[in-house]
Amino acid sequence: MPMRKKLLAKAWKIWRDKLQPIAIVVLILTTFRSAVADWNDVPTGSMKPSILEGDRIFVNKVAYG
């Protein structure tokens, strides 16, 4: 049993120190991208000369509901 407790303590320390911060950042970025803003590639040149084909634009989803 003592070996199992040491292994569990080590796994918890790895989670707390390394994996948890990464998981938090991924969660925040995913929420931001899906709810607040997103970026899209422009597929056509219909907005020339302002926006060209292949440009990336930042879309504010809050403004459009």
Side-chain angles (χ1 to χ4, degrees), residues 13-26:
K13 182 173 178 7
I14 290 171
W15 164 255
R16 189 183 66 227
D17 293 343
K18 296 190 169 109
L19 299 178
Q20 187 180 19
I22 293 171
I24 290 170
V25 168
V26 168

Side-chain angles (χ1 to χ4, degrees), residues 45-53 55:
S46 62
M47 293 291 292
K48 283 183 184 176
S50 301
I51 302 173
L52 302 175
E53 290 179 50
D55 284 352

Side-chain angles (χ1 to χ4, degrees), residues 26-64:
V26 168
L27 180 67
I28 290 170
L29 290 177
T30 303
T31 303
F32 177 79
R33 184 167 182 209
S34 64
V36 178
D38 195 8
W39 53 89
N40 295 315
D41 293 327
V42 177
T44 65
S46 62
M47 293 291 292
K48 283 183 184 176
S50 301
I51 302 173
L52 302 175
E53 290 179 50
D55 284 352
R56 287 197 174 168
I57 56 174
F58 193 66
V59 179
N60 182 357
K61 291 184 176 183
V62 176
Y64 295 103

